[in-house]
Amino acid sequence: MLRHTKVLLGFMAVALATVHSAQLDAQSSLTIYNDGRVLVRRTVAADVARGASTVRLPLGDLDPATLFSLDSNVVITTASYDGAVDESSIIRRAIGRTIKFVSGKDTIAAVVLGVDPMRFRMPDGTITFSVPGLPLYPADLVVIDPTVTLTLRSSEARKDLHLGYFTAGANWQANYEVILARRGTASVQGDATISVEKLRALEAELQLLAGSVSRAGSVRPEEDAKRMMMSARAADQMAPSEQKVGEFHLYTLPGKSTLLPGITSSISLFDPAQVTYERNLVVRGAIPWYGMLPQYGDEQEIPVEVSYTVKRPRKTDFGDRPLPGGVARLYEPDSSGRLQLIGEAAMDHTPAGEDLRLSAGVAFDITAKRVQTSYTTRRDSLRTWATADYSVTLTNASDSAATVDVMEQRPGEWSVLSSSIPGQKVSSTVTRFRVVVPAGGEKVLTYRVRVKW
């Protein structure tokens, strides 16, 4: 019986959680942020008297600390938010009340004495710590939709209110498809993917803000729920318009949008762009970023990282466009023309004119091994000098030559004393050895460094 009751209570909790999904009408305007915050601007029907008045509005789930008036002629003097739609809050409010419980074919009236633990006084005066059945709560205890009670001061009587506040239940991310072609050319498509958890908006104006906007606190945490994810692409819509707001970029979607819980939709951010790219093969160095230069013994296999640099020159539509951060997926056709995923990379917000550098994983046919062939140190009362020789063997099993960049990076005092291939000083901390490895062959790079600490 107790297990059956718990199952029924669980169903009630899910039902109550589902009911209070905020539904916004066509007079709403939303801005969705990358971190899951949603700024709501909406007009709601309300009888507002001139001077002081009080209204009660079922606004749905929101962060009450962010509620504000969008009308300079209306001042919110006090606000009380009742968001207790969960069963645990309802039964707490029922303490001291007589509640009916359905147990089998019987109906039992018991007084709720307390919670944590649950305590009930039965009709015969006995006390039980178990829920005596399926509870039937009086309507005055149940909050169907989170509600705000506002005390207002208005310069004139009106029939509506213009309000703004933050809620949760939706987020967005940019996704990019980079399709690599021959001769160093590629096509790039960018989409904004909007994922909705419990927010409901019917025919609302929709904007997406790209950037890391700071926050002092968080909107109420999301409830965990299993949900069916569906995907829809807004094929008939035009690309969003873009503008800078503060230090961030805002995308305004054309027309009106409907958001429903469990639906994931995508809209194109721009027309496919034809670009050029470079493939980069990199081997990271052996010198640690800080501290001492250690002595190594055995030969080590080291990964050959693969990345792609997508060019975005100025005075081109794609180059002059800021790109919101997200995920970029790299595709390349096989011998039959079928596209295959060859890399997936997280991408930071990228300003106009800056190239995209996308990691694609580790090379398969090009391998590298490194060994430290000598190591000496010299000390005085203040500093230590270490001198070390390294040998890097690069092997290319593919049918075309490959260029591999061996990178050594460290701040402070260090230098390359000698090398079999001239090193290039990329910056004050980075030296690069550009090694051409023949097809089906290998190339050995040797160099000596001196490090002080």
Side-chain angles (χ1 to χ4, degrees):
M1 177 63 193
L2 181 57
R3 180 180 179 183
H4 178 66
T5 301
K6 287 183 177 180
V7 171
L8 291 175
L9 289 175
F11 285 142
M12 288 187 62
V14 171
L16 288 170
T18 303
V19 167
H20 82 275
S21 296
Q23 180 162 307
L24 308 176
D25 55 25
Q27 299 186 67
S28 300
S29 173
L30 310 178
T31 300
I32 301 177
Y33 292 70
N34 291 126
D35 60 6
R37 284 178 287 180
V38 181
L39 175 58
V40 178
R41 297 168 296 270
R42 64 183 297 193
T43 299
V44 294
D47 289 323
V48 180
R50 180 180 180 182
S53 62
T54 300
V55 297
R56 183 175 171 85
L57 304 171
L59 297 183
D61 196 21
L62 60 86
D63 180 357
T66 64
L67 185 67
F68 62 98
S69 173
L70 295 172
D71 189 337
S72 59
N73 295 317
V74 177
V75 177
I76 299 175
T77 55
T78 64
S80 175
Y81 178 70
D82 189 352
V85 297
D86 58 293
E87 187 178 13
S88 63
S89 296
I90 294 170
I91 200 165
R92 288 177 187 278
R93 293 183 178 186
I95 293 175
R97 297 274 297 268
T98 299
I99 301 296
K100 292 181 180 180
F101 296 85
V102 176
S103 178
K105 296 181 179 181
D106 299 325
T107 300
I108 302 170
V111 179
V112 182
L113 299 178
V115 297
D116 300 329
M118 293 284 190
R119 304 181 299 281
F120 302 90
R121 180 183 292 117
M122 303 300 287
D124 61 0
T126 58
I127 307 297
T128 179
F129 287 83
S130 300
V131 180
L134 177 66
L136 302 174
Y137 296 107
D140 63 303
L141 288 178
V142 179
V143 179
I144 300 299
D145 203 28
T147 303
V148 175
T149 301
L150 302 175
T151 301
L152 307 169
R153 187 172 67 249
S154 176
S155 61
E156 60 182 6
R158 54 192 307 130
K159 293 296 184 181
D160 55 29
L161 276 175
H162 305 293
L163 299 173
Y165 55 84
F166 274 94
T167 186
N171 59 73
W172 79 281
Q173 175 182 277
N175 288 283
Y176 301 90
E177 294 81 40
V178 182
I179 301 175
L180 305 177
R182 295 179 179 178
R183 300 174 184 174
T185 61
S187 174
V188 180
Q189 171 69 53
D191 299 320
T193 301
I194 305 167
S195 299
V196 183
E197 295 182 355
K198 65 177 182 179
L199 187 69
R200 294 176 180 267
L202 304 179
E203 295 295 314
E205 296 177 352
L206 190 58
Q207 295 177 301
L208 310 174
L209 192 134
S212 300
V213 180
S214 62
R215 62 191 305 172
S218 60
V219 179
R220 298 195 314 161
E222 296 295 316
E223 298 166 357
D224 293 329
K226 292 182 179 179
R227 57 188 183 276
M228 181 181 297
M229 300 302 294
M230 300 176 62
S231 179
R233 181 177 295 277
D236 297 330
Q237 291 187 325
M238 298 172 58
S241 61
E242 182 268 333
Q243 62 178 299
K244 187 174 182 180
V245 178
E247 293 303 316
F248 310 100
H249 290 271
L250 183 70
Y251 295 84
T252 301
L253 275 60
K256 299 292 184 69
S257 300
T258 293
L259 303 179
L260 297 174
I263 300 295
T264 298
S265 58
S266 296
I267 183 170
S268 177
L269 290 172
F270 51 84
D271 292 333
Q274 303 305 312
V275 299
T276 60
Y277 71 90
E278 293 178 356
R279 187 185 68 155
N280 312 110
L281 301 171
V282 176
V283 170
R284 301 295 173 184
I287 302 176
W289 182 252
Y290 288 113
M292 66 175 292
L293 177 66
Q295 182 175 12
Y296 295 105
D298 297 335
E299 184 178 60
Q300 299 173 326
E301 292 190 7
I302 47 180
V304 179
E305 301 172 9
V306 184
S307 65
Y308 292 82
T309 301
V310 178
K311 300 297 184 179
R312 298 202 323 128
R314 285 286 195 176
K315 298 183 180 179
T316 64
D317 181 68
F318 185 59
D320 289 337
R321 179 184 300 276
L323 298 179
V327 175
R329 295 173 180 86
L330 295 148
Y331 296 89
E332 186 172 318
D334 60 21
S335 58
S336 300
R338 295 178 290 248
L339 291 180
Q340 306 294 342
L341 178 71
I342 63 167
E344 184 176 274
M347 197 182 91
D348 294 330
H349 300 298
T350 306
E354 185 173 307
D355 294 342
L356 296 180
R357 292 174 174 83
L358 307 174
S359 174
V362 177
F364 189 95
D365 290 324
I366 302 171
T367 57
K369 294 181 179 180
R370 179 194 289 116
V371 63
Q372 189 182 74
T373 56
S374 72
Y375 181 84
T376 59
T377 60
R378 181 168 63 89
R379 297 181 178 86
D380 60 21
S381 59
L382 298 176
R383 304 289 297 275
T384 298
W385 290 262
T387 302
D389 284 284
Y390 296 94
S391 176
V392 178
T393 302
L394 300 167
T395 303
N396 182 4
S398 69
D399 56 3
S400 59
T403 299
V404 180
D405 291 334
V406 179
M407 313 286 283
E408 287 288 2
Q409 183 175 11
R410 179 184 171 99
E413 294 185 58
W414 75 281
S415 59
V416 177
L417 300 180
S418 62
S419 61
S420 60
I421 296 174
Q424 300 172 317
K425 198 73 173 176
V426 178
S427 69
S428 62
T429 62
V430 178
T431 295
R432 175 180 63 198
F433 303 98
R434 180 150 284 180
V435 184
V436 178
V437 188
E442 69 175 29
K443 187 77 170 183
V444 178
L445 165 69
T446 60
Y447 57 95
R448 174 177 292 179
V449 299
R450 177 176 292 165
V451 178
K452 296 182 182 180
W453 69 89

